[in-house]
Amino acid sequence: MIAYVIRRLLHTVLVVFAISLLIFFSIRLTGDPVTVMFSAGEPTKEAIEEVRRNLGLDQPLYVQYLIFLKGLVTFDFGESFRSHMPVMDLIMERAGATLALAIGGTIVSILIAFPVGIISAVKRGSIVDFFGRIFSLIGISFPNFWLGIMLILIFAVNLKWLPSSGFEGPQHLILPSITLGMILSGILARLVRSSMLEVMNQQYVSTAKSKGISDWAVIIKHAFRNALLPTITFLGLQFGSLLGGTVIVETIFSWPGIGRLIIDAINQRDYPVIQGGVIFLAVIMVVVNLIVDLSYSLIDPRIKTGGSGRA
Amino acid sequence: MVQKVLEIDKLKVGINDDGNKIAIVNGISFSLQKGETLGIVGESGCGKSMTSLSLMGLLPPGVEWLDGDIKTESLHFKDFKKKDWRKIRGKRIAMIFQEPMSSLNPVYTIGKQIMEMILSHENISKKQARERALEMLKLVGIPRPEQVLDEYPYQLSGGMRQRVMIAIALSCNPEILIADEPTTALDVTIQAQILELMKKLQEQLNMSIVLITHDLGVVAEMCDRVIVMYAGEIVEEAQVVELFDRPRHPYTKGLLSSLPDVNEEKEYLSSIPGVVPAPGKMPAGCRFAARCSFAHERCKNTPPLFEVNGSKVKCWLYENGDSEAVL
Ligand SMILES: Nc1ncnc2c1ncn2[C@@H]1O[C@H](COP(=O)(O)OP(=O)(O)OP(=O)(O)O)[C@@H](O)[C@H]1O
Ligand SMILES: [Mg+2]
């Protein structure tokens, strides 16, 4: 178990290293940050050089990268080119909002997908199943910026029931969470349906039925409980694209999260903030996957992390 | 004095494809006596499992109860609603399956799975149910039952799991135990132990067993009476000694003559030429005729189940009892 966790942590370090390389060099292809920093007038050459020196951009690229790496090790992403605040502080200020959104999106997708998937599977081939599958298809194929805008138009602009931007209270979470959770719920409902169908053919479901317990006890306690494992794996794997989705959703809903922080930073070529934000999201993703893996052993007693004990 | 616990009356089970009914089990009748073990044998696909699942109301999706009835002294299963089935399942008729490796739910402890059965039928506390579960584990001969109560299925061997299945099945004292190939998936020595256990518990609890098997050795060992099924119909019914001493239906003879060794049941059917016709593609008349070396003109008509010296045979050879048919 401990060896396993250590192995996974080493793996995490490798992943973060790879991402740091990728992000560091790719943003430097987007153009010179200094040229966008002067809002008014044509800056003098000296002024530009001065700024470069201050930001450390006059150094050779590999030196800049090594400095960046050195900071990474101490969880120091440097300072924003713009506000000169430590990047870590900027991120921490916004992490809560993104986390709330990600959790909200996951909850929405679960609330929709579990019932839809379970009922579709149980009533396989029925009209309920048909609508369930149509729903999945719609959920999967509609782009979430479109859904977000529609939700804003209907519930914020026309009905005026819910706020359309910012994060000042729980009611602000509703529309962004639905927007974020919808796509995931389409895929998730499909997955729940197919794992349920598979599990319901298992002999132990027949055993459960032969005990004379209620249909719902058979479906939830025996079938669904076993269908949960692939579902959780999937949710864990999807957490990355969910975080990716927050970037778009945060932009639509003016959500004060990390996604928007990164988008704004990209517009301003604020390298340290982009690097810090992306790496932060990557680390969160890897950690979530690790937690998901470790949680298997809670759901399925056969899995003792470390490999042994599988019958 | 024999007492019938269950009577199956012209039971017909099959696929109902928009009113186009295809029978899988084609109007079979038999009864089950108190305390007896009734064997059902026959080639793969002849409808043994469908027959046994209908007794529990557990036909798979797509397969329906088309006609006929299953009766006890006071109940007609054909009128059953969902709720009535639930009262029967586990309480009066319990079932064990072929695959002990997969018939227990991997995510619950053994104790929990036994207790679930008890708690769903009996109005007792969890603590009492747990004690009863422990008793059941002792009854089926599980070593260190206290620990096993809190263990998961993957921690047990196939034989132990089948014991647990038996413990679950018997935990509410059913009158009838249906065992669909309970030992097929187990090693020979374990098979013998499980059969031994079933026999012992049957005597102890005075229940009736319906034992479905491919293995004629198991039939000889366990059963009082045997039903031979072919293509969804009963072709012969006899006391076990009679069946082995004097098989009547050509199909039964084929089964027995090709029985190589008690411990090698698998290939016994290969020596009967031909294949079982599929449901929906049944020939008119006797369904076995195409594979039968005694087939003749009469076999174009469906034979009834003739009563011959206490046995029943679905074959024209026995129209006038055994006299003509000494072959
Ligand atoms: N879900 C189903 N839908 C339609 N037909 C089915 C279904 N399950 C089984 N059948 C058909 O019913 C027939 C009888 O099957 P059954 O399982 O009762 O055979 P069996 O005698 O138990 O065979 P085996 O010895 O292989 O277990 C087979 O021809 C099979 O193709
Ligand atoms: Mg079968």
Side-chain angles (χ1 to χ4, degrees):
Chain A
M1 176 84 179
I2 289 169
Y4 176 77
V5 174
I6 290 174
R7 206 162 61 232
R8 287 294 303 261
L9 286 176
L10 282 177
H11 183 231
T12 306
V13 170
L14 267 182
V15 169
V16 170
F17 176 71
I19 290 174
S20 74
L21 261 177
L22 210 73
I23 189 71
F24 181 88
F25 290 102
S26 65
I27 50 174
R28 277 164 178 76
L29 297 173
T30 59
D32 190 342
V34 181
T35 54
V36 295
M37 284 185 180
F38 297 92
S39 41
E42 192 73 0
T44 61
K45 250 191 144 72
E46 289 75 40
I48 292 178
E49 283 311 312
E50 164 86 29
V51 173
R52 291 220 138 139
R53 238 190 332 277
N54 285 342
L55 299 178
L57 293 169
D58 56 335
Q59 314 245 31
L61 218 48
Y62 75 90
V63 177
Q64 289 183 39
Y65 180 65
L66 287 179
I67 292 172
F68 167 54
L69 262 193
K70 190 174 144 235
L72 258 191
V73 177
T74 54
F75 297 102
D76 174 10
F77 296 124
E79 282 178 5
S80 161
F81 285 176
R82 286 281 158 149
S83 62
H84 302 288
M85 298 248 298
V87 172
M88 203 58 184
D89 291 359
L90 288 175
I91 289 173
M92 281 308 154
E93 221 166 68
R94 302 220 175 185
T98 295
L99 191 69
L101 182 56
I103 292 174
T106 309
I107 290 175
V108 166
S109 68
I110 287 175
L111 284 181
I112 297 173
F114 280 15
V116 169
I118 292 173
I119 294 171
S120 276
V122 172
K123 305 272 177 209
R124 181 187 194 175
S126 72
I127 190 93
V128 186
D129 184 21
F130 178 75
F131 281 115
R133 287 159 73 186
I134 294 273
F135 166 82
S136 298
L137 205 65
I138 292 176
I140 291 164
S141 34
F142 275 69
N144 52 8
F145 67 84
W146 183 87
L147 180 68
I149 291 167
M150 290 313 282
L151 288 175
I152 290 179
L153 279 178
I154 296 170
F155 293 100
V157 177
N158 285 337
L159 296 172
K160 297 190 174 29
W161 285 352
L162 292 165
S164 68
S165 69
F167 182 23
E168 282 137 38
Q171 75 276 18
H172 284 79
L173 250 173
I174 297 172
L175 293 183
S177 297
I178 293 175
T179 308
L180 185 62
M182 204 60 174
I183 291 192
L184 188 60
S185 74
I187 315 176
L188 191 61
R190 259 194 199 182
L191 182 87
V192 170
R193 178 178 182 275
S194 65
S195 359
M196 278 296 284
L197 285 177
E198 198 182 314
V199 166
M200 285 194 307
N201 279 326
Q202 300 289 322
Q203 189 90 79
Y204 54 75
V205 173
S206 306
T207 303
K209 286 181 188 162
S210 78
K211 288 176 171 178
I213 58 178
S214 75
D215 288 358
W216 280 107
V218 173
I219 291 164
I220 302 300
K221 281 175 66 184
H222 290 271
F224 183 64
R225 177 70 200 271
N226 279 282
L228 207 54
L229 196 64
T231 310
I232 300 245
T233 313
F234 172 82
L235 270 178
L237 289 174
Q238 283 299 308
F239 197 74
S241 58
L242 192 77
L243 280 182
T246 60
V247 176
I248 296 168
V249 174
E250 286 181 6
T251 310
I252 302 172
F253 290 94
S254 309
W255 193 258
I258 296 173
R260 249 192 60 222
L261 180 72
I262 296 174
I263 295 284
D264 290 346
I266 290 173
N267 288 333
Q268 298 164 350
R269 298 198 185 133
D270 193 343
Y271 292 173
V273 176
I274 307 176
Q275 289 163 181
V278 169
I279 290 201
F280 183 80
L281 289 185
V283 169
I284 297 278
M285 251 174 71
V286 180
V287 169
V288 166
N289 281 337
L290 180 61
I291 293 174
V292 167
D293 277 5
L294 295 179
S295 72
Y296 289 165
S297 52
L298 293 180
I299 299 167
D300 188 340
R302 282 168 299 181
I303 298 170
K304 289 260 159 52
T305 319
S308 66
R310 242 180 191 280
Chain B
M1 161 86 209
V2 284
Q3 188 194 341
K4 273 185 201 169
V5 286
L6 204 63
E7 170 137 25
I8 287 80
D9 183 21
K10 301 192 197 72
L11 178 70
K12 200 168 187 172
V13 168
I15 303 159
N16 192 350
D17 191 6
D18 275 335
N20 177 24
K21 295 176 183 172
I22 299 169
I24 292 173
V25 172
N26 193 24
I28 62 172
S29 302
F30 63 92
S31 60
L32 184 65
Q33 324 287 345
K34 185 153 190 67
E36 80 167 337
T37 299
L38 175 71
I40 303 183
V41 296
E43 254 162 309
S44 190
C46 69
K48 304 182 298 289
S49 294
M50 291 303 145
T51 304
S52 64
L53 289 170
S54 7
L55 304 183
M56 297 276 276
L58 286 177
L59 290 170
V63 179
E64 285 177 32
W65 182 317
L66 299 176
D67 206 3
D69 200 357
I70 299 170
K71 295 180 273 197
T72 68
E73 207 161 296
S74 53
L75 300 170
H76 288 264
F77 287 22
K78 119 183 136 222
D79 305 327
F80 271 10
K81 307 261 179 304
K82 260 190 183 153
K83 208 174 73 220
D84 304 313
W85 279 117
R86 281 180 50 199
K87 278 189 229 150
I88 292 285
R89 290 177 194 153
K91 180 73 186 149
R92 300 190 63 173
I93 310 181
M95 190 156 187
I96 56 178
F97 300 91
Q98 176 172 353
E99 290 291 337
M101 296 317 262
S102 55
S103 40
L104 291 168
N105 194 325
V107 303
Y108 295 116
T109 59
I110 303 299
K112 198 158 181 201
Q113 298 190 55
I114 306 177
M115 285 164 63
E116 183 180 37
M117 174 83 138
I118 299 169
L119 289 170
S120 73
H121 292 291
E122 255 137 90
N123 210 352
I124 58 175
S125 73
K126 278 198 170 165
K127 195 160 166 278
Q128 287 167 307
R130 196 180 152 88
E131 265 155 35
R132 175 93 148 266
L134 182 63
E135 263 169 51
M136 292 311 298
L137 286 183
K138 287 179 185 157
L139 187 69
V140 298
I142 299 249
R144 11 164 238 110
E146 281 91 358
Q147 284 106 295
V148 169
L149 218 44
D150 292 316
E151 284 181 1
Y152 289 92
Y154 78 91
Q155 292 168 288
L156 304 180
S157 68
M160 283 301 143
R161 287 190 217 185
Q162 198 62 304
R163 283 174 194 262
V164 170
M165 274 305 293
I166 294 173
I168 293 176
L170 302 188
S171 62
C172 291
N173 243 320
E175 292 155 76
I176 302 167
L177 176 68
I178 302 170
D180 192 344
E181 314 210 19
T183 56
T184 313
L186 302 172
D187 293 344
V188 182
T189 45
I190 311 287
Q191 268 189 28
Q193 291 170 11
I194 296 287
L195 293 173
E196 193 63 34
L197 174 70
M198 285 173 62
K199 217 169 176 174
K200 189 189 99 191
L201 293 175
Q202 175 181 38
E203 275 160 30
Q204 214 167 319
L205 308 171
N206 194 23
M207 60 181 173
S208 313
I209 296 181
V210 177
L211 179 64
I212 294 169
T213 179
H214 273 111
D215 188 337
L216 290 167
V218 170
V219 171
E221 180 86 6
M222 295 285 293
C223 298
D224 303 305
R225 214 151 48 91
V226 191
I227 285 172
V228 181
M229 282 185 76
Y230 183 79
E233 295 181 336
I234 294 177
V235 294
E236 181 157 357
E237 181 189 324
Q239 298 296 319
V240 72
V241 179
E242 182 78 0
L243 189 93
F244 281 92
D245 278 359
R246 184 163 187 174
R248 290 189 167 88
H249 197 284
Y251 177 63
T252 315
K253 289 181 181 176
L255 287 187
L256 288 176
S257 69
S258 55
L259 179 68
D261 183 308
V262 184
N263 295 329
E264 264 181 65
E265 79 283 3
K266 285 281 183 282
E267 299 298 322
Y268 74 91
L269 290 160
S270 52
S271 69
I272 305 179
V275 290
V276 194
K281 297 203 177 63
M282 290 297 170
C286 174
R287 295 183 164 186
F288 186 62
R291 299 171 74 185
C292 180
S293 46
F294 305 103
H296 53 301
E297 266 314 292
R298 268 188 302 184
C299 304
K300 287 190 177 137
N301 300 313
T302 307
L305 205 53
F306 294 112
E307 295 226 15
V308 186
N309 293 337
S311 297
K312 291 178 185 162
V313 199
K314 197 182 179 69
C315 177
W316 287 115
L317 293 174
Y318 299 88
E319 195 174 4
N320 302 315
D322 278 331
S323 54
E324 268 178 44
V326 183
L327 296 158

